[in-house]
Amino acid sequence: MEKTTYVVGKGTDPNARKGAGPAATVPSKGAPMLVIGVIAVIAALVALAYLVGIMR
C-alpha cells in the first residue's frame, strides 16, 4: 500500500489535471477605467505641483 500525505477522494488527486489545460479561460479586460482615471489624476497633480514649483 502506498503511503500518501494527502487525502484521496474526488477532486484531491494531484495527477487528475495533467494535460487538462488552464483552470480558467476568462479573457483579460485590461486595466479598469477607475485605475486609469486615478493614475491620470495623480499625474495631473504631479505636473501641477511641478509647474507651481517652477513659477516660484
Side-chain angles (χ1 to χ4, degrees):
M1 186 166 145
E2 180 183 347
K3 286 189 171 187
T4 61
T5 58
Y6 58 90
V7 178
V8 178
K10 186 176 181 181
T12 61
D13 184 7
N15 298 318
R17 288 197 36 83
K18 283 192 176 177
T25 57
V26 179
S28 174
K29 294 182 181 178
M33 292 304 293
L34 179 63
V35 173
I36 295 172
V38 168
I39 292 172
V41 167
I42 291 173
L45 289 174
V46 168
L48 181 64
Y50 180 74
L51 291 174
V52 168
I54 288 177
M55 296 298 180
R56 287 189 166 197

